[in-house]
Amino acid sequence: MRRAALPVLALALGCATSTTRAPAPTPAPAANSPASAAPAVSSSHLPPIPLDTGKLALRVVYPAQGDVIDARDSSFLFGTTGNGKATLSINGAPVQVWPNGTWLAWLALPPDSVMRFDLVARTATDSALLSYQVPRTRRFVPPAAPVWLDSLSIYPRGRVWWPASEWLPVGVRAAAGAEVRIRWPNGNTTPLVADTRPEEIPDAIRAFDRDSTRLNAPPAVTRYTGAVRGNAVGLPMGPAVGASAPSCPAPPGVGGCTPIVGDSAGPLIEAIQGVDTVRARWPVQITLLDSTPQVIMLDDDTARTGKTDRITVGRTRPGATYNWFFPTGTRAPVNGRIGNELRLALSRTSDAWVSVVDAVPLPVGLPNVRATVGSVTLTPGARFLSLRIPLSSRVPFQVVEDAKRLTLRLYGTAGDVNWIRYGGTDTLIAAMSADQPSTDETDLVVDLAHPVWGYRTSWSGSDLLLDIRRPPAIQKSKPLAGRRIVVDPGHPPAGATGPSGFREAEANLAVALQLRDLLAQAGAEVIMTRTTDSAVDLYPRTRLADSVDAELLISIHNNALPDGVEPWRNNGSSVFYNTPRSIPLAMAVQRALVRYLGLRDLGVGRGDLALVRPTWMPSILSEGLFMMIPDQEAALRSREGQALYARAVFEGIQSFLVERAGM
């Protein structure tokens, strides 16, 4: 259901403006209090907020029309009254109004699936009412019944391809104390047992909430787990893959067998308590894989759009964060599928999950991908050194970066590295070595004399090239002179919005343009990913930085919190990085942000974000202020506030370069 915003009464007032500072903060209420009246921390370095005594008109900016709140017990709303002298209450609880008329409320959520919030604003001469309805994410609520079963919690679901000899985990939520089991089409059953692990904490709480008490979860006594394997339950083995089974069509994206268990005649999940039983169909199609290999080639542009980065990401489990980055053309055998993700056998001990849409099937029956690593050669160049690794196939690989070391792990390989040729006594290289940590994994290790500045990989036929970037020559007295820096004003598309309706994309651009001017005045060559309020996708931004040979990539952002995270104690300044080479830059900018803006120090964090993943240069993403906090949004609207943010990032960059000049 779409919520409706219904203004009941709004009387017009004349408009006048003056300037005043935000009211002194008062302690924030407890997380589950009906509403929050004031912030817990003062933004003492931010410019004053102009007073707005305009027309009283209630507006909820977030959640906007069509949004759904995804929180369990409490969350936030924010918007504007149109008048900074107004008082505001929501569902009877007082909410602070800032001088420019904006407000932010932390509320206990009504229990309804469509929640109603009644807003009342008043001035000395006027009043306005707004009844606002917001849907919430639907969650299973156990019924008042002796036995129940949550059919949406059954895992796995959809298409599953699994080796006949390997156990497949199964899970479901059901009533405590019930007997839970899988009933197969042939009448056999497989029991599931109660799993008393603690309830999972939402990712948003783990990532953004500073209140450690919210990480204490009660035991989950309603989860049941088990495992099934092959034809142990009496199911017939599926036909073999490939030419030995011509009647077995290949599933889309990869070769394989027709499902042996389908929705129409598939298994049931049963929960039994005394004489009461509930059942749910297990929405799964299981294909048992035999030992005939299926090899795929990775290609992230199977739709042929020409707008991708030619990289397929690999995950440690379905739905997990990125861990591998496989260039187009990489080959690997498939040894499983759950839903829309394939499991690749990188080696005998390492698996990676990739999207099924990035997999191009190769002829069924090709042997598993295996390659020999030959003698490697290092070729020094003016801007970078290139390490050429001869391989007999484009196998999966991973580069692991330490402060002064790069380790290239080649999966599905046997090392025959008879020679490691340095190509001269280059001062950047301290040592190189090769190792075979397992029977089908080879490590090539490059130790550097200086901290890693950047690297990149590419295929040349079946040879893999690892280019290692030389650090730039930095003058300590003029650290920015000649430095080529890409400045990225984050968003649009997407981005946060503040209580007055100010968009993050606008704020980021204003700060980035001031940063550009500061850097240019200090002698840097600055390249912007955008200079107007226009949408630029993520990949063109990172591609630009790589194509112009940028020495630094700085992405300017302003923050917001996910539903269910209390805003007063969890706002502040932070900087994100992805790889070790960017930590010193992130630390330097974070110290300057805290010093200039005076907000809470949320620290530096590693983030799996597109703008900090490029490997050719140090790259950071700054989150200087929070769009949703009224006085911080007001600061971002002002030239003075934008200048504070830009100056902080500038000085952080300069401090980092001065430090690097001494190395």
PDB file of all heavy atoms in Angstrom, residues 43 45-50 100 502 507 511 558 597 599 625-626 629-645:
ATOM      1  N   SER A  43      27.302  20.437  17.222  1.00  0.00           N
ATOM      2  CA  SER A  43      28.124  20.681  16.041  1.00  0.00           C
ATOM      3  C   SER A  43      28.706  22.078  16.163  1.00  0.00           C
ATOM      4  O   SER A  43      28.336  22.992  15.439  1.00  0.00           O
ATOM      5  CB  SER A  43      27.265  20.538  14.779  1.00  0.00           C
ATOM      6  OG  SER A  43      26.679  19.264  14.726  1.00  0.00           O
ATOM      7  N   HIS A  45      31.466  23.598  15.481  1.00  0.00           N
ATOM      8  CA  HIS A  45      32.270  24.263  14.467  1.00  0.00           C
ATOM      9  C   HIS A  45      31.460  24.667  13.249  1.00  0.00           C
ATOM     10  O   HIS A  45      31.995  25.305  12.350  1.00  0.00           O
ATOM     11  CB  HIS A  45      33.421  23.357  14.010  1.00  0.00           C
ATOM     12  CG  HIS A  45      34.401  23.060  15.106  1.00  0.00           C
ATOM     13  ND1 HIS A  45      35.546  22.342  14.884  1.00  0.00           N
ATOM     14  CD2 HIS A  45      34.414  23.379  16.419  1.00  0.00           C
ATOM     15  CE1 HIS A  45      36.219  22.217  16.026  1.00  0.00           C
ATOM     16  NE2 HIS A  45      35.535  22.837  16.964  1.00  0.00           N
ATOM     17  N   LEU A  46      30.221  24.281  13.191  1.00  0.00           N
ATOM     18  CA  LEU A  46      29.417  24.545  12.005  1.00  0.00           C
ATOM     19  C   LEU A  46      28.856  25.956  12.041  1.00  0.00           C
ATOM     20  O   LEU A  46      28.664  26.543  13.107  1.00  0.00           O
ATOM     21  CB  LEU A  46      28.285  23.524  11.902  1.00  0.00           C
ATOM     22  CG  LEU A  46      28.721  22.056  11.812  1.00  0.00           C
ATOM     23  CD1 LEU A  46      27.522  21.156  11.594  1.00  0.00           C
ATOM     24  CD2 LEU A  46      29.749  21.853  10.697  1.00  0.00           C
ATOM     25  N   PRO A  47      28.577  26.526  10.878  1.00  0.00           N
ATOM     26  CA  PRO A  47      28.058  27.899  10.828  1.00  0.00           C
ATOM     27  C   PRO A  47      26.645  27.984  11.404  1.00  0.00           C
ATOM     28  O   PRO A  47      25.949  26.970  11.522  1.00  0.00           O
ATOM     29  CB  PRO A  47      28.068  28.222   9.334  1.00  0.00           C
ATOM     30  CG  PRO A  47      28.014  26.896   8.647  1.00  0.00           C
ATOM     31  CD  PRO A  47      28.767  25.953   9.529  1.00  0.00           C
ATOM     32  N   PRO A  48      26.211  29.190  11.793  1.00  0.00           N
ATOM     33  CA  PRO A  48      24.865  29.359  12.346  1.00  0.00           C
ATOM     34  C   PRO A  48      23.789  29.047  11.318  1.00  0.00           C
ATOM     35  O   PRO A  48      24.006  29.149  10.112  1.00  0.00           O
ATOM     36  CB  PRO A  48      24.841  30.826  12.764  1.00  0.00           C
ATOM     37  CG  PRO A  48      25.880  31.485  11.917  1.00  0.00           C
ATOM     38  CD  PRO A  48      26.957  30.458  11.730  1.00  0.00           C
ATOM     39  N   ILE A  49      22.611  28.673  11.817  1.00  0.00           N
ATOM     40  CA  ILE A  49      21.479  28.330  10.955  1.00  0.00           C
ATOM     41  C   ILE A  49      20.581  29.552  10.813  1.00  0.00           C
ATOM     42  O   ILE A  49      20.180  30.148  11.812  1.00  0.00           O
ATOM     43  CB  ILE A  49      20.675  27.157  11.555  1.00  0.00           C
ATOM     44  CG1 ILE A  49      21.571  25.935  11.724  1.00  0.00           C
ATOM     45  CG2 ILE A  49      19.482  26.818  10.673  1.00  0.00           C
ATOM     46  CD1 ILE A  49      20.881  24.780  12.414  1.00  0.00           C
ATOM     47  N   PRO A  50      20.230  29.960   9.607  1.00  0.00           N
ATOM     48  CA  PRO A  50      19.338  31.107   9.437  1.00  0.00           C
ATOM     49  C   PRO A  50      17.930  30.789   9.944  1.00  0.00           C
ATOM     50  O   PRO A  50      17.432  29.684   9.775  1.00  0.00           O
ATOM     51  CB  PRO A  50      19.350  31.350   7.929  1.00  0.00           C
ATOM     52  CG  PRO A  50      19.723  30.035   7.334  1.00  0.00           C
ATOM     53  CD  PRO A  50      20.653  29.386   8.312  1.00  0.00           C
ATOM     54  N   ASN A 100      15.675  26.842  10.974  1.00  0.00           N
ATOM     55  CA  ASN A 100      15.212  26.899   9.583  1.00  0.00           C
ATOM     56  C   ASN A 100      13.948  26.074   9.354  1.00  0.00           C
ATOM     57  O   ASN A 100      13.518  25.891   8.211  1.00  0.00           O
ATOM     58  CB  ASN A 100      16.317  26.445   8.631  1.00  0.00           C
ATOM     59  CG  ASN A 100      16.764  25.008   8.893  1.00  0.00           C
ATOM     60  OD1 ASN A 100      16.311  24.362   9.837  1.00  0.00           O
ATOM     61  ND2 ASN A 100      17.671  24.514   8.060  1.00  0.00           N
ATOM     62  N   PHE A 502      17.266  19.167   0.662  1.00  0.00           N
ATOM     63  CA  PHE A 502      18.555  19.369  -0.001  1.00  0.00           C
ATOM     64  C   PHE A 502      19.151  18.008  -0.344  1.00  0.00           C
ATOM     65  O   PHE A 502      19.272  17.131   0.506  1.00  0.00           O
ATOM     66  CB  PHE A 502      19.480  20.153   0.919  1.00  0.00           C
ATOM     67  CG  PHE A 502      20.740  20.649   0.271  1.00  0.00           C
ATOM     68  CD1 PHE A 502      20.733  21.208  -1.000  1.00  0.00           C
ATOM     69  CD2 PHE A 502      21.959  20.584   0.951  1.00  0.00           C
ATOM     70  CE1 PHE A 502      21.894  21.686  -1.578  1.00  0.00           C
ATOM     71  CE2 PHE A 502      23.126  21.062   0.390  1.00  0.00           C
ATOM     72  CZ  PHE A 502      23.094  21.615  -0.887  1.00  0.00           C
ATOM     73  N   ALA A 507      25.069  18.831  -2.481  1.00  0.00           N
ATOM     74  CA  ALA A 507      26.047  19.145  -1.437  1.00  0.00           C
ATOM     75  C   ALA A 507      27.433  18.642  -1.828  1.00  0.00           C
ATOM     76  O   ALA A 507      28.438  19.354  -1.677  1.00  0.00           O
ATOM     77  CB  ALA A 507      25.605  18.517  -0.113  1.00  0.00           C
ATOM     78  N   VAL A 511      30.928  21.020  -2.363  1.00  0.00           N
ATOM     79  CA  VAL A 511      32.171  20.798  -1.621  1.00  0.00           C
ATOM     80  C   VAL A 511      33.306  20.443  -2.581  1.00  0.00           C
ATOM     81  O   VAL A 511      34.431  20.960  -2.460  1.00  0.00           O
ATOM     82  CB  VAL A 511      31.980  19.689  -0.572  1.00  0.00           C
ATOM     83  CG1 VAL A 511      33.312  19.333   0.091  1.00  0.00           C
ATOM     84  CG2 VAL A 511      30.952  20.106   0.478  1.00  0.00           C
ATOM     85  N   ASN A 558      28.292  12.669   1.660  1.00  0.00           N
ATOM     86  CA  ASN A 558      27.725  12.993   2.965  1.00  0.00           C
ATOM     87  C   ASN A 558      26.765  11.889   3.343  1.00  0.00           C
ATOM     88  O   ASN A 558      26.101  11.304   2.490  1.00  0.00           O
ATOM     89  CB  ASN A 558      27.047  14.360   2.936  1.00  0.00           C
ATOM     90  CG  ASN A 558      28.062  15.484   2.874  1.00  0.00           C
ATOM     91  OD1 ASN A 558      28.686  15.830   3.864  1.00  0.00           O
ATOM     92  ND2 ASN A 558      28.266  16.044   1.676  1.00  0.00           N
ATOM     93  N   LEU A 597      35.478  20.221  11.348  1.00  0.00           N
ATOM     94  CA  LEU A 597      34.023  20.197  11.470  1.00  0.00           C
ATOM     95  C   LEU A 597      33.554  20.075  12.913  1.00  0.00           C
ATOM     96  O   LEU A 597      32.435  20.460  13.239  1.00  0.00           O
ATOM     97  CB  LEU A 597      33.448  19.047  10.641  1.00  0.00           C
ATOM     98  CG  LEU A 597      33.741  19.108   9.135  1.00  0.00           C
ATOM     99  CD1 LEU A 597      33.166  17.884   8.434  1.00  0.00           C
ATOM    100  CD2 LEU A 597      33.186  20.382   8.515  1.00  0.00           C
ATOM    101  N   LEU A 599      32.741  17.447  14.597  1.00  0.00           N
ATOM    102  CA  LEU A 599      31.732  16.412  14.822  1.00  0.00           C
ATOM    103  C   LEU A 599      32.364  15.184  15.479  1.00  0.00           C
ATOM    104  O   LEU A 599      33.582  15.082  15.610  1.00  0.00           O
ATOM    105  CB  LEU A 599      31.076  16.017  13.495  1.00  0.00           C
ATOM    106  CG  LEU A 599      30.414  17.148  12.709  1.00  0.00           C
ATOM    107  CD1 LEU A 599      29.795  16.601  11.430  1.00  0.00           C
ATOM    108  CD2 LEU A 599      29.365  17.858  13.552  1.00  0.00           C
ATOM    109  N   LEU A 625      29.666  14.964   6.683  1.00  0.00           N
ATOM    110  CA  LEU A 625      28.533  15.289   7.541  1.00  0.00           C
ATOM    111  C   LEU A 625      27.373  14.364   7.205  1.00  0.00           C
ATOM    112  O   LEU A 625      27.430  13.603   6.232  1.00  0.00           O
ATOM    113  CB  LEU A 625      28.113  16.754   7.360  1.00  0.00           C
ATOM    114  CG  LEU A 625      29.160  17.817   7.703  1.00  0.00           C
ATOM    115  CD1 LEU A 625      29.874  18.281   6.441  1.00  0.00           C
ATOM    116  CD2 LEU A 625      28.525  19.004   8.404  1.00  0.00           C
ATOM    117  N   PHE A 626      26.320  14.463   7.990  1.00  0.00           N
ATOM    118  CA  PHE A 626      25.121  13.656   7.775  1.00  0.00           C
ATOM    119  C   PHE A 626      24.012  14.538   7.205  1.00  0.00           C
ATOM    120  O   PHE A 626      23.595  15.517   7.834  1.00  0.00           O
ATOM    121  CB  PHE A 626      24.654  13.013   9.085  1.00  0.00           C
ATOM    122  CG  PHE A 626      25.239  11.653   9.326  1.00  0.00           C
ATOM    123  CD1 PHE A 626      26.582  11.514   9.618  1.00  0.00           C
ATOM    124  CD2 PHE A 626      24.459  10.511   9.237  1.00  0.00           C
ATOM    125  CE1 PHE A 626      27.140  10.262   9.832  1.00  0.00           C
ATOM    126  CE2 PHE A 626      25.004   9.256   9.449  1.00  0.00           C
ATOM    127  CZ  PHE A 626      26.343   9.129   9.751  1.00  0.00           C
ATOM    128  N   ILE A 629      20.847  15.061   9.570  1.00  0.00           N
ATOM    129  CA  ILE A 629      20.921  15.830  10.808  1.00  0.00           C
ATOM    130  C   ILE A 629      20.682  17.302  10.463  1.00  0.00           C
ATOM    131  O   ILE A 629      21.427  17.883   9.669  1.00  0.00           O
ATOM    132  CB  ILE A 629      22.281  15.646  11.491  1.00  0.00           C
ATOM    133  CG1 ILE A 629      22.571  14.153  11.718  1.00  0.00           C
ATOM    134  CG2 ILE A 629      22.322  16.409  12.805  1.00  0.00           C
ATOM    135  CD1 ILE A 629      21.607  13.442  12.641  1.00  0.00           C
ATOM    136  N   PRO A 630      19.661  17.946  11.017  1.00  0.00           N
ATOM    137  CA  PRO A 630      19.258  19.278  10.543  1.00  0.00           C
ATOM    138  C   PRO A 630      20.373  20.309  10.502  1.00  0.00           C
ATOM    139  O   PRO A 630      20.528  21.023   9.492  1.00  0.00           O
ATOM    140  CB  PRO A 630      18.149  19.672  11.522  1.00  0.00           C
ATOM    141  CG  PRO A 630      17.518  18.369  11.893  1.00  0.00           C
ATOM    142  CD  PRO A 630      18.676  17.412  11.987  1.00  0.00           C
ATOM    143  N   ASP A 631      21.190  20.450  11.577  1.00  0.00           N
ATOM    144  CA  ASP A 631      22.201  21.498  11.535  1.00  0.00           C
ATOM    145  C   ASP A 631      23.340  21.150  10.583  1.00  0.00           C
ATOM    146  O   ASP A 631      23.996  22.048  10.033  1.00  0.00           O
ATOM    147  CB  ASP A 631      22.731  21.810  12.937  1.00  0.00           C
ATOM    148  CG  ASP A 631      23.294  20.598  13.649  1.00  0.00           C
ATOM    149  OD1 ASP A 631      22.981  19.471  13.247  1.00  0.00           O
ATOM    150  OD2 ASP A 631      24.047  20.784  14.620  1.00  0.00           O
ATOM    151  N   GLN A 632      23.576  19.858  10.342  1.00  0.00           N
ATOM    152  CA  GLN A 632      24.614  19.474   9.392  1.00  0.00           C
ATOM    153  C   GLN A 632      24.149  19.697   7.953  1.00  0.00           C
ATOM    154  O   GLN A 632      24.929  20.126   7.093  1.00  0.00           O
ATOM    155  CB  GLN A 632      25.032  18.024   9.636  1.00  0.00           C
ATOM    156  CG  GLN A 632      25.671  17.828  11.007  1.00  0.00           C
ATOM    157  CD  GLN A 632      26.108  16.404  11.274  1.00  0.00           C
ATOM    158  OE1 GLN A 632      26.537  15.690  10.367  1.00  0.00           O
ATOM    159  NE2 GLN A 632      26.007  15.976  12.530  1.00  0.00           N
ATOM    160  N   GLU A 633      22.877  19.405   7.677  1.00  0.00           N
ATOM    161  CA  GLU A 633      22.342  19.720   6.349  1.00  0.00           C
ATOM    162  C   GLU A 633      22.398  21.220   6.105  1.00  0.00           C
ATOM    163  O   GLU A 633      22.764  21.682   5.013  1.00  0.00           O
ATOM    164  CB  GLU A 633      20.903  19.227   6.224  1.00  0.00           C
ATOM    165  CG  GLU A 633      20.316  19.488   4.834  1.00  0.00           C
ATOM    166  CD  GLU A 633      18.813  19.682   4.839  1.00  0.00           C
ATOM    167  OE1 GLU A 633      18.264  20.100   5.877  1.00  0.00           O
ATOM    168  OE2 GLU A 633      18.184  19.433   3.795  1.00  0.00           O
ATOM    169  N   ALA A 634      22.037  22.022   7.136  1.00  0.00           N
ATOM    170  CA  ALA A 634      22.075  23.479   6.991  1.00  0.00           C
ATOM    171  C   ALA A 634      23.495  23.959   6.704  1.00  0.00           C
ATOM    172  O   ALA A 634      23.707  24.872   5.891  1.00  0.00           O
ATOM    173  CB  ALA A 634      21.527  24.139   8.260  1.00  0.00           C
ATOM    174  N   ALA A 635      24.492  23.345   7.351  1.00  0.00           N
ATOM    175  CA  ALA A 635      25.880  23.722   7.088  1.00  0.00           C
ATOM    176  C   ALA A 635      26.258  23.434   5.640  1.00  0.00           C
ATOM    177  O   ALA A 635      26.964  24.216   4.990  1.00  0.00           O
ATOM    178  CB  ALA A 635      26.804  22.979   8.043  1.00  0.00           C
ATOM    179  N   LEU A 636      25.795  22.300   5.114  1.00  0.00           N
ATOM    180  CA  LEU A 636      26.113  21.948   3.735  1.00  0.00           C
ATOM    181  C   LEU A 636      25.427  22.865   2.735  1.00  0.00           C
ATOM    182  O   LEU A 636      25.877  22.986   1.592  1.00  0.00           O
ATOM    183  CB  LEU A 636      25.729  20.486   3.471  1.00  0.00           C
ATOM    184  CG  LEU A 636      26.649  19.455   4.123  1.00  0.00           C
ATOM    185  CD1 LEU A 636      26.012  18.079   4.097  1.00  0.00           C
ATOM    186  CD2 LEU A 636      28.000  19.442   3.423  1.00  0.00           C
ATOM    187  N   ARG A 637      24.367  23.505   3.134  1.00  0.00           N
ATOM    188  CA  ARG A 637      23.702  24.480   2.260  1.00  0.00           C
ATOM    189  C   ARG A 637      24.483  25.793   2.195  1.00  0.00           C
ATOM    190  O   ARG A 637      24.302  26.581   1.272  1.00  0.00           O
ATOM    191  CB  ARG A 637      22.291  24.770   2.760  1.00  0.00           C
ATOM    192  CG  ARG A 637      21.208  23.799   2.289  1.00  0.00           C
ATOM    193  CD  ARG A 637      19.840  24.359   2.613  1.00  0.00           C
ATOM    194  NE  ARG A 637      18.748  23.529   2.121  1.00  0.00           N
ATOM    195  CZ  ARG A 637      18.259  23.582   0.881  1.00  0.00           C
ATOM    196  NH1 ARG A 637      18.797  24.417   0.004  1.00  0.00           N
ATOM    197  NH2 ARG A 637      17.247  22.811   0.528  1.00  0.00           N
ATOM    198  N   SER A 638      25.338  26.025   3.179  1.00  0.00           N
ATOM    199  CA  SER A 638      26.018  27.317   3.273  1.00  0.00           C
ATOM    200  C   SER A 638      27.401  27.244   2.650  1.00  0.00           C
ATOM    201  O   SER A 638      28.085  26.222   2.689  1.00  0.00           O
ATOM    202  CB  SER A 638      26.137  27.736   4.738  1.00  0.00           C
ATOM    203  OG  SER A 638      27.093  26.938   5.409  1.00  0.00           O
ATOM    204  N   ARG A 639      27.830  28.371   2.085  1.00  0.00           N
ATOM    205  CA  ARG A 639      29.171  28.460   1.510  1.00  0.00           C
ATOM    206  C   ARG A 639      30.233  28.232   2.582  1.00  0.00           C
ATOM    207  O   ARG A 639      31.261  27.593   2.342  1.00  0.00           O
ATOM    208  CB  ARG A 639      29.346  29.851   0.885  1.00  0.00           C
ATOM    209  CG  ARG A 639      30.660  30.078   0.177  1.00  0.00           C
ATOM    210  CD  ARG A 639      30.677  29.454  -1.188  1.00  0.00           C
ATOM    211  NE  ARG A 639      31.932  29.719  -1.882  1.00  0.00           N
ATOM    212  CZ  ARG A 639      32.268  29.175  -3.036  1.00  0.00           C
ATOM    213  NH1 ARG A 639      31.441  28.334  -3.633  1.00  0.00           N
ATOM    214  NH2 ARG A 639      33.412  29.462  -3.619  1.00  0.00           N
ATOM    215  N   GLU A 640      29.963  28.712   3.785  1.00  0.00           N
ATOM    216  CA  GLU A 640      30.920  28.570   4.878  1.00  0.00           C
ATOM    217  C   GLU A 640      31.088  27.105   5.279  1.00  0.00           C
ATOM    218  O   GLU A 640      32.206  26.618   5.474  1.00  0.00           O
ATOM    219  CB  GLU A 640      30.450  29.396   6.075  1.00  0.00           C
ATOM    220  CG  GLU A 640      31.412  29.369   7.255  1.00  0.00           C
ATOM    221  CD  GLU A 640      30.890  30.162   8.433  1.00  0.00           C
ATOM    222  OE1 GLU A 640      29.861  30.858   8.275  1.00  0.00           O
ATOM    223  OE2 GLU A 640      31.496  30.078   9.518  1.00  0.00           O
ATOM    224  N   GLY A 641      29.976  26.381   5.386  1.00  0.00           N
ATOM    225  CA  GLY A 641      30.052  24.969   5.744  1.00  0.00           C
ATOM    226  C   GLY A 641      30.729  24.142   4.675  1.00  0.00           C
ATOM    227  O   GLY A 641      31.521  23.231   4.969  1.00  0.00           O
ATOM    228  N   GLN A 642      30.446  24.441   3.414  1.00  0.00           N
ATOM    229  CA  GLN A 642      31.091  23.732   2.311  1.00  0.00           C
ATOM    230  C   GLN A 642      32.601  23.973   2.334  1.00  0.00           C
ATOM    231  O   GLN A 642      33.395  23.060   2.082  1.00  0.00           O
ATOM    232  CB  GLN A 642      30.501  24.213   0.982  1.00  0.00           C
ATOM    233  CG  GLN A 642      29.035  23.897   0.798  1.00  0.00           C
ATOM    234  CD  GLN A 642      28.378  24.774  -0.259  1.00  0.00           C
ATOM    235  OE1 GLN A 642      29.052  25.534  -0.961  1.00  0.00           O
ATOM    236  NE2 GLN A 642      27.053  24.675  -0.377  1.00  0.00           N
ATOM    237  N   ALA A 643      32.996  25.210   2.670  1.00  0.00           N
ATOM    238  CA  ALA A 643      34.421  25.543   2.702  1.00  0.00           C
ATOM    239  C   ALA A 643      35.143  24.810   3.822  1.00  0.00           C
ATOM    240  O   ALA A 643      36.291  24.379   3.660  1.00  0.00           O
ATOM    241  CB  ALA A 643      34.590  27.056   2.861  1.00  0.00           C
ATOM    242  N   LEU A 644      34.485  24.665   4.988  1.00  0.00           N
ATOM    243  CA  LEU A 644      35.089  23.912   6.085  1.00  0.00           C
ATOM    244  C   LEU A 644      35.389  22.479   5.660  1.00  0.00           C
ATOM    245  O   LEU A 644      36.477  21.943   5.918  1.00  0.00           O
ATOM    246  CB  LEU A 644      34.153  23.911   7.294  1.00  0.00           C
ATOM    247  CG  LEU A 644      34.106  25.157   8.168  1.00  0.00           C
ATOM    248  CD1 LEU A 644      32.998  25.025   9.203  1.00  0.00           C
ATOM    249  CD2 LEU A 644      35.450  25.385   8.855  1.00  0.00           C
ATOM    250  N   TYR A 645      34.417  21.838   5.013  1.00  0.00           N
ATOM    251  CA  TYR A 645      34.579  20.457   4.563  1.00  0.00           C
ATOM    252  C   TYR A 645      35.711  20.371   3.533  1.00  0.00           C
ATOM    253  O   TYR A 645      36.620  19.523   3.636  1.00  0.00           O
ATOM    254  CB  TYR A 645      33.246  19.974   3.981  1.00  0.00           C
ATOM    255  CG  TYR A 645      33.141  18.511   3.639  1.00  0.00           C
ATOM    256  CD1 TYR A 645      31.905  17.956   3.326  1.00  0.00           C
ATOM    257  CD2 TYR A 645      34.253  17.662   3.606  1.00  0.00           C
ATOM    258  CE1 TYR A 645      31.768  16.616   3.009  1.00  0.00           C
ATOM    259  CE2 TYR A 645      34.131  16.322   3.280  1.00  0.00           C
ATOM    260  CZ  TYR A 645      32.885  15.809   2.974  1.00  0.00           C
ATOM    261  OH  TYR A 645      32.744  14.478   2.643  1.00  0.00           O
TER     262      TYR A 645
END
